[in-house]
Structure formats: C-alpha cells, structure tokens
Coordinates of all heavy atoms in Angstrom, one line a residue:
G1 N 0.8 -1.2 0.0 CA 0.0 0.0 0.0 C 0.9 1.2 0.0 O 2.1 1.2 -0.1
K2 N 0.2 2.4 0.1 CA 1.0 3.6 0.1 C 1.7 3.9 1.5 O 2.6 4.7 1.6 CB 0.1 4.8 -0.2 CG -0.5 4.7 -1.6 CD -1.5 5.8 -1.8 CE -2.7 5.6 -1.0 NZ -4.0 5.4 -1.6
L3 N 1.2 3.2 2.5 CA 1.8 3.3 3.9 C 1.6 4.8 4.4 O 2.3 5.2 5.3 CB 3.3 2.9 3.9 CG 3.6 1.5 3.4 CD1 5.1 1.2 3.5 CD2 2.8 0.5 4.2
N4 N 0.6 5.5 3.8 CA 0.5 6.9 4.2 C 0.0 7.1 5.6 O 0.4 8.1 6.3 CB -0.4 7.6 3.2 CG -1.8 7.1 3.1 OD1 -2.1 6.0 3.7 ND2 -2.7 7.7 2.4
R5 N -0.7 6.1 6.2 CA -1.1 6.3 7.6 C 0.1 6.2 8.5 O 0.2 7.0 9.4 CB -2.1 5.2 7.9 CG -3.4 5.3 7.3 CD -4.3 4.1 7.4 NE -5.5 4.2 6.6 CZ -5.6 4.0 5.3 NH1 -4.5 3.6 4.6 NH2 -6.7 4.1 4.6
G6 N 0.9 5.2 8.3 CA 2.1 5.1 9.2 C 3.1 6.2 9.0 O 3.6 6.8 10.0
L7 N 3.3 6.6 7.8 CA 4.2 7.8 7.5 C 3.6 9.1 8.1 O 4.4 9.9 8.6 CB 4.4 7.9 6.0 CG 5.2 6.8 5.4 CD1 5.2 6.9 3.8 CD2 6.7 6.7 5.9
A8 N 2.3 9.2 8.1 CA 1.7 10.4 8.7 C 1.9 10.5 10.2 O 2.1 11.6 10.7 CB 0.2 10.4 8.3
V9 N 2.0 9.3 10.8 CA 2.3 9.3 12.3 C 3.7 9.9 12.5 O 3.8 10.8 13.4 CB 2.2 7.9 12.8 CG1 2.7 7.9 14.3 CG2 0.8 7.4 12.8
V10 N 4.6 9.5 11.8 CA 6.0 9.9 12.0 C 6.1 11.4 11.7 O 6.7 12.2 12.5 CB 7.0 9.1 11.2 CG1 8.4 9.7 11.3 CG2 7.0 7.6 11.5
E11 N 5.6 11.8 10.6 CA 5.6 13.3 10.2 C 4.8 14.1 11.2 O 5.3 15.2 11.5 CB 5.1 13.4 8.8 CG 6.0 12.8 7.7 CD 7.5 13.3 7.8 OE1 7.8 14.5 8.0 OE2 8.4 12.4 7.8
S12 N 3.7 13.6 11.6 CA 2.9 14.4 12.6 C 3.7 14.6 13.9 O 3.6 15.6 14.5 CB 1.6 13.7 12.9 OG 0.8 13.7 11.7
Y13 N 4.3 13.5 14.3 CA 5.1 13.6 15.6 C 6.2 14.7 15.4 O 6.4 15.5 16.3 CB 5.7 12.2 15.9 CG 6.4 12.3 17.3 CD1 5.7 12.4 18.5 CD2 7.8 12.4 17.3 CE1 6.4 12.5 19.7 CE2 8.5 12.6 18.5 CZ 7.8 12.6 19.7 OH 8.4 12.7 20.9
K14 N 6.9 14.7 14.3 CA 7.9 15.7 14.1 C 7.3 17.1 14.1 O 7.9 18.0 14.7 CB 8.6 15.4 12.7 CG 9.5 14.2 12.7 CD 10.1 14.0 11.3 CE 10.9 12.7 11.3 NZ 11.4 12.5 9.9
L15 N 6.1 17.3 13.5 CA 5.5 18.6 13.6 C 5.1 19.0 15.0 O 5.2 20.1 15.4 CB 4.3 18.6 12.7 CG 4.6 18.6 11.2 CD1 3.3 18.4 10.4 CD2 5.3 19.8 10.7
L16 N 4.6 18.0 15.8 CA 4.2 18.3 17.1 C 5.4 18.6 18.0 O 5.2 19.2 19.1 CB 3.4 17.1 17.7 CG 2.0 16.9 17.1 CD1 1.4 15.6 17.5 CD2 1.1 18.0 17.4
K17 N 6.6 18.2 17.6 CA 7.8 18.5 18.4 C 8.1 20.0 18.3 O 8.9 20.5 19.0 CB 9.0 17.7 18.0 CG 8.9 16.3 18.4 CD 9.1 16.1 19.8 CE 10.5 16.4 20.3 NZ 10.8 16.1 21.6
A18 N 7.4 20.7 17.5 CA 7.4 22.2 17.4 C 8.8 22.7 17.2 O 9.3 23.5 18.0 CB 6.7 22.9 18.5
G19 N 9.5 22.3 16.2 CA 10.8 22.8 15.9 C 12.0 22.1 16.5 O 13.1 22.2 16.0
S20 N 11.8 21.3 17.6 CA 13.0 20.6 18.1 C 13.0 19.2 17.4 O 11.9 18.6 17.2 CB 12.9 20.4 19.6 OG 11.8 19.7 20.0
E21 N 14.1 18.7 17.1 CA 14.3 17.4 16.5 C 13.9 16.3 17.5 O 14.4 16.3 18.6 CB 15.7 17.2 16.0 CG 16.0 17.9 14.7 CD 15.2 17.4 13.5 OE1 15.2 16.1 13.3 OE2 14.6 18.2 12.8
P22 N 13.2 15.3 17.1 CA 12.9 14.2 18.0 C 14.2 13.4 18.2 O 15.0 13.3 17.3 CB 11.9 13.3 17.2 CG 11.9 13.8 15.8 CD 12.5 15.2 15.8
S23 N 14.3 12.8 19.3 CA 15.5 12.0 19.6 C 15.4 10.7 18.7 O 14.3 10.4 18.2 CB 15.6 11.6 21.1 OG 14.5 10.7 21.4
E24 N 16.5 10.0 18.6 CA 16.4 8.7 17.9 C 15.4 7.8 18.4 O 14.7 7.1 17.7 CB 17.8 8.1 17.9 CG 18.0 7.0 16.9 CD 19.5 6.5 16.9 OE1 20.4 7.3 16.7 OE2 19.6 5.2 17.0
E25 N 15.3 7.7 19.8 CA 14.3 6.8 20.4 C 12.9 7.3 20.1 O 12.0 6.5 19.7 CB 14.5 6.7 21.9 CG 13.5 5.8 22.5 CD 13.4 5.8 24.0 OE1 14.1 6.7 24.7 OE2 12.8 4.9 24.6
E26 N 12.7 8.6 20.2 CA 11.3 9.1 19.9 C 10.9 8.8 18.4 O 9.8 8.4 18.2 CB 11.3 10.6 20.1 CG 11.3 11.0 21.6 CD 11.5 12.5 21.8 OE1 12.1 13.2 21.0 OE2 11.0 12.9 22.8
E27 N 11.8 9.0 17.5 CA 11.5 8.7 16.1 C 11.3 7.2 15.9 O 10.4 6.9 15.1 CB 12.6 9.3 15.2 CG 12.2 9.3 13.8 CD 13.1 10.1 12.9 OE1 13.9 10.9 13.4 OE2 12.9 10.0 11.7
F28 N 12.1 6.4 16.5 CA 11.9 5.0 16.4 C 10.5 4.6 17.0 O 9.8 3.8 16.3 CB 13.0 4.2 17.2 CG 12.8 2.7 17.2 CD1 13.2 2.0 16.1 CD2 12.3 2.1 18.4 CE1 13.0 0.6 16.1 CE2 12.2 0.7 18.4 CZ 12.5 0.0 17.3
L29 N 10.1 5.1 18.1 CA 8.8 4.8 18.7 C 7.7 5.3 17.8 O 6.6 4.6 17.7 CB 8.7 5.3 20.1 CG 9.6 4.6 21.1 CD1 9.5 5.3 22.5 CD2 9.3 3.1 21.2
A30 N 7.9 6.5 17.2 CA 6.8 7.0 16.2 C 6.7 6.0 15.1 O 5.6 5.8 14.6 CB 7.2 8.4 15.8
C31 N 7.8 5.4 14.6 CA 7.8 4.4 13.5 C 7.0 3.2 14.0 O 6.2 2.6 13.2 CB 9.2 4.1 13.1 SG 10.0 5.4 12.1
I32 N 7.3 2.7 15.2 CA 6.6 1.6 15.7 C 5.1 1.8 15.7 O 4.3 1.0 15.3 CB 7.1 1.2 17.1 CG1 8.6 0.8 17.1 CG2 6.2 0.1 17.8 CD1 8.8 -0.5 16.4
L33 N 4.7 3.0 16.2 CA 3.3 3.4 16.3 C 2.7 3.4 14.8 O 1.6 2.9 14.6 CB 3.1 4.7 16.9 CG 1.7 5.2 17.1 CD1 0.9 4.3 17.9 CD2 1.8 6.6 17.8
G34 N 3.5 4.0 13.9 CA 3.0 4.0 12.5 C 2.8 2.6 11.9 O 1.8 2.4 11.2
W35 N 3.7 1.7 12.2 CA 3.6 0.4 11.7 C 2.4 -0.3 12.4 O 1.6 -1.1 11.8 CB 4.8 -0.5 12.0 CG 5.8 -0.3 10.9 CD1 7.0 0.3 11.0 CD2 5.7 -0.6 9.5 NE1 7.7 0.4 9.8 CE2 6.9 -0.2 8.8 CE3 4.7 -1.3 8.8 CZ2 7.1 -0.4 7.5 CZ3 4.9 -1.4 7.4 CH2 6.1 -1.0 6.8
G36 N 2.1 0.0 13.7 CA 0.9 -0.5 14.3 C -0.4 -0.1 13.6 O -1.3 -0.9 13.4
I37 N -0.4 1.1 13.1 CA -1.6 1.6 12.3 C -1.6 0.9 11.0 O -2.7 0.5 10.5 CB -1.5 3.1 12.2 CG1 -1.7 3.8 13.5 CG2 -2.5 3.6 11.1 CD1 -1.5 5.3 13.5
E38 N -0.5 0.7 10.4 CA -0.5 -0.1 9.1 C -1.0 -1.5 9.3 O -1.7 -2.1 8.5 CB 0.9 0.0 8.4 CG 1.3 1.3 7.9 CD 0.4 1.9 6.8 OE1 -0.2 1.1 6.1 OE2 0.4 3.1 6.7
W39 N -0.6 -2.1 10.4 CA -1.0 -3.5 10.6 C -2.5 -3.5 10.9 O -3.2 -4.4 10.5 CB -0.2 -4.1 11.8 CG 1.1 -4.5 11.5 CD1 2.1 -3.9 10.7 CD2 1.8 -5.7 11.9 NE1 3.2 -4.6 10.7 CE2 3.1 -5.7 11.4 CE3 1.4 -6.8 12.7 CZ2 4.0 -6.8 11.6 CZ3 2.3 -7.8 12.9 CH2 3.6 -7.8 12.4
L40 N -3.0 -2.5 11.7 CA -4.4 -2.4 12.0 C -5.2 -2.3 10.7 O -6.2 -3.0 10.5 CB -4.7 -1.3 12.9 CG -6.1 -1.1 13.5 CD1 -6.4 -2.3 14.4 CD2 -6.3 0.2 14.2
Q41 N -4.7 -1.4 9.8 CA -5.4 -1.3 8.5 C -5.4 -2.6 7.7 O -6.4 -2.9 7.1 CB -4.7 -0.2 7.7 CG -5.2 0.1 6.3 CD -6.6 0.6 6.3 OE1 -7.2 1.0 7.3 NE2 -7.2 0.7 5.1
A42 N -4.3 -3.3 7.7 CA -4.2 -4.6 7.0 C -5.3 -5.6 7.5 O -5.9 -6.3 6.8 CB -2.8 -5.1 7.0
Y43 N -5.3 -5.6 8.8 CA -6.3 -6.5 9.5 C -7.7 -6.1 9.1 O -8.5 -7.0 8.7 CB -6.2 -6.3 11.0 CG -7.4 -6.5 11.9 CD1 -7.9 -7.7 12.1 CD2 -7.9 -5.4 12.6 CE1 -9.0 -7.9 13.0 CE2 -9.0 -5.5 13.4 CZ -9.6 -6.8 13.6 OH -10.6 -6.9 14.5
F44 N -8.1 -4.8 9.1 CA -9.4 -4.4 8.6 C -9.6 -4.8 7.2 O -10.7 -5.3 6.8 CB -9.6 -2.9 8.7 CG -9.7 -2.4 10.1 CD1 -9.0 -1.2 10.5 CD2 -10.4 -3.1 11.1 CE1 -9.1 -0.7 11.8 CE2 -10.5 -2.6 12.4 CZ -9.8 -1.4 12.7
L45 N -8.7 -4.6 6.3 CA -8.9 -4.9 4.9 C -9.0 -6.4 4.6 O -9.9 -6.8 3.8 CB -7.7 -4.3 4.1 CG -7.6 -2.8 4.1 CD1 -6.4 -2.4 3.3 CD2 -8.8 -2.1 3.6
I46 N -8.3 -7.2 5.3 CA -8.4 -8.7 5.1 C -9.8 -9.1 5.4 O -10.5 -9.8 4.6 CB -7.4 -9.5 6.0 CG1 -6.0 -9.3 5.5 CG2 -7.8 -10.9 6.0 CD1 -4.9 -9.8 6.5
L47 N -10.3 -8.7 6.5 CA -11.7 -9.1 6.9 C -12.8 -8.4 6.1 O -13.8 -9.0 5.7 CB -11.9 -8.8 8.4 CG -11.0 -9.6 9.4 CD1 -11.3 -9.3 10.8 CD2 -11.0 -11.1 9.1

C-alpha cells in the first residue's frame, strides 16, 4: 500500500515537536506506532 497512515504518524510527531528534532528513540517509537496503524489497516482490509 501507500503506507500513508504510518508515515503520517512519524511526520505528525515531528511537527508536534514544534521545531525541536525528535530523539532517535522518539523517532523509532513513532515508527513503531506508525507500523501499528498499518497492521491495523491490513487487519481491517483482510476481513
């Protein structure tokens, strides 16, 4: 898929940081959250 939901999570988190760069851990966790959304979407689509 386009993976736009998961990518939007990471980009939104960066915007919410309001100018300060997220730490490596924060960006990693945002990616984990984004993948969670992509997995949730895949589950919905299968069913």
Side-chain angles (χ1 to χ4, degrees):
K2 296 176 292 242
L3 305 177
N4 59 352
R5 290 167 187 82
L7 292 171
V9 169
V10 177
E11 293 307 312
S12 297
Y13 183 76
K14 289 177 182 177
L15 289 172
L16 290 171
K17 286 292 287 186
S20 64
E21 283 293 311
S23 70
E24 190 173 309
E25 179 188 12
E26 289 172 328
E27 192 163 348
F28 177 77
L29 292 176
C31 288
I32 296 293
L33 182 57
W35 277 113
I37 290 171
E38 291 296 336
W39 283 44
L40 188 66
Q41 176 69 9
Y43 149 72
F44 290 142
L45 294 178
I46 289 169
L47 298 181

